[in-house]
Amino acid sequence: MTSSITKDDETPQHEDRHDMADRLLRSSEILSYDPVQEVDWETPLDTDYHGTSPEWSTLYGTAYWAEMTPEQQRELTRQEAASVASTGIWFEMILQQMVLRDFYAKDPTDPAFQWALTEIADECRHSIMFARGAAKLRAPAYRPTRLVVELGRVFKTLAFGEAAYAAILVAEEVLDVMQRDWMRDERVVPFVRTVNNIHVVEESRHMKFAREETKARLEGASWLRRQINAVVVAGASYFIVTSMWNKKVYENAGLDGKRAIREAKANEHHKSMLRSSCAGLMEFLNSAGLLTKASHWFYKRANLI
């Protein structure tokens, strides 16, 4: 993934990356949270609240949604929030392994090395926070399909450089846009709003690092390398995003699973929400040369473009 920055390297590019890592470290010292203390884990779940903004539900805007009772709608959004959180845990574990592998045996006095460990520590806390949140939402353990889990195993082992960082960025950006809506929405259960706020604040630093590392790794990259990595990133993005809403959420919310899956798959409102949330991300990938004709197929299939 990322190469560490040595003190002996005095090029402007490496000075900028050194300074950026140092700024991120200082920011994390000033603005970081302990979910154990910040999140209200003790108050019983109030089922009068949603788990996500209703507009982000996969069934919002469908005929089925209009037929559902308010209680069913709220239960569905709570199950969907837990599903998104569970997918976040899965990918954060992939991220941690890639970063650890990348910084293995590199200069520990380097701010980039220390930032990498800080990011891993953040992700560990986030994963525990998401796990506790899903449990409080009374949801089961939602996991990607076996195929996606095994593909993730391959990806975390082989991905490096811009392919790893750009894929990390996609996962973080999609979550960020959704969670910014949820954390401000008073219809969402208060403890989930706190969880989202913590994640948004701390992930903003991770996204900056991922963007800068993606750009740095692509400097001087050949046309062929960009073409290959564009497809790798797009493929990873497809499996990440399509795993966020587990099909089991519908039956667990007391709905007709087959009908719900059918209507969710055809839901143009949800597709539009995803596309609008990814506008800035797609602009960045295009500027980096990672939005190619071949990669478009995956992004369209995932409704990201």
Side-chain angles (χ1 to χ4, degrees):
M1 287 204 3
T2 181
S3 59
S4 82
I5 309 157
T6 63
K7 291 181 178 177
D8 295 332
D9 195 332
E10 297 179 354
T11 65
Q13 173 195 331
H14 284 82
E15 286 177 357
D16 289 344
R17 293 169 74 191
H18 184 286
D19 291 343
M20 180 193 67
D22 196 52
R23 288 194 301 272
L24 292 174
L25 279 170
R26 290 199 301 272
S27 174
S28 69
E29 292 171 2
I30 296 169
L31 196 59
S32 289
Y33 299 95
D34 178 1
V36 174
Q37 301 298 323
E38 299 290 339
V39 180
D40 179 8
W41 300 114
E42 302 304 321
T43 301
L45 176 66
D46 188 339
T47 56
D48 287 336
Y49 287 93
H50 284 274
T52 72
S53 296
E55 293 78 10
W56 272 102
S57 173
T58 54
L59 287 181
Y60 184 87
T62 64
Y64 203 173
W65 179 269
E67 295 173 19
M68 292 162 60
T69 66
E71 291 77 15
Q72 287 176 316
Q73 293 172 352
R74 292 193 295 268
E75 179 60 26
L76 175 60
T77 62
R78 290 194 295 269
Q79 293 296 320
E80 289 178 320
S83 177
V84 170
S86 295
T87 304
I89 294 170
W90 166 70
F91 192 75
E92 284 178 346
M93 294 185 73
I94 291 175
L95 182 159
Q96 292 169 51
Q97 292 178 74
M98 291 192 296
V99 173
L100 276 173
R101 186 184 72 232
D102 182 58
F103 279 90
Y104 174 71
K106 292 184 178 174
D107 182 3
T109 66
D110 183 345
F113 182 97
Q114 295 169 30
W115 166 251
L117 294 184
T118 301
E119 181 167 344
I120 291 167
D122 287 347
E123 300 296 5
C124 285
R125 287 185 287 105
H126 294 167
S127 293
I128 295 170
M129 175 175 71
F130 285 163
R132 293 186 67 176
K136 186 165 180 175
L137 287 168
R138 302 173 186 170
Y142 290 113
R143 297 185 181 91
T145 64
R146 180 62 181 272
L147 172 62
V148 174
V149 168
E150 295 307 320
L151 288 172
R153 198 185 305 279
V154 173
F155 180 76
K156 74 176 179 60
T157 303
L158 300 179
F160 64 93
E162 62 273 14
Y165 270 109
I168 288 170
L169 184 62
V170 170
E172 291 175 341
E173 289 259 9
V174 173
L175 269 175
D176 182 72
V177 173
M178 291 190 294
Q179 291 182 324
R180 285 179 185 273
D181 285 347
W182 305 347
M183 74 184 194
R184 301 186 185 105
D185 194 335
E186 294 185 356
R187 296 170 296 176
V188 174
V189 64
F191 92 88
V192 170
R193 294 178 62 193
T194 304
V195 165
N196 291 328
N197 184 67
I198 291 172
H199 198 249
V200 163
V201 169
E202 297 186 346
E203 287 293 329
S204 65
R205 295 188 287 262
H206 301 182
M207 289 189 292
K208 173 151 184 77
F209 192 63
R211 281 176 179 256
E212 294 303 315
E213 284 299 310
T214 299
K215 290 189 291 186
R217 287 308 188 90
L218 282 168
E219 287 189 6
S222 67
W223 177 87
L224 180 60
R225 175 174 161 181
R226 288 176 189 269
Q227 293 293 312
I228 293 172
N229 282 326
V231 172
V232 170
V233 172
S237 303
Y238 170 82
F239 288 112
I240 292 166
V241 173
T242 56
S243 295
M244 285 186 175
W245 291 275
N246 192 295
K247 293 178 180 179
K248 295 179 182 178
V249 298
Y250 306 114
E251 290 185 1
N252 290 336
L255 304 178
D256 178 340
K258 290 183 179 178
R259 180 186 174 187
I261 291 170
R262 183 172 63 252
E263 295 204 23
K265 188 175 181 179
N267 188 358
E268 291 301 326
H269 170 80
H270 192 252
K271 294 176 185 178
S272 175
M273 293 286 283
L274 279 174
R275 285 192 295 269
S276 63
S277 73
C278 291
L281 171 64
M282 292 302 144
E283 183 179 342
F284 171 77
L285 292 176
N286 186 50
S287 69
L290 293 176
L291 193 57
T292 62
K293 184 176 180 180
S295 69
H296 264 71
W297 185 86
F298 289 99
Y299 292 124
K300 287 188 179 236
R301 292 274 294 178
N303 301 304
L304 301 183
I305 195 170

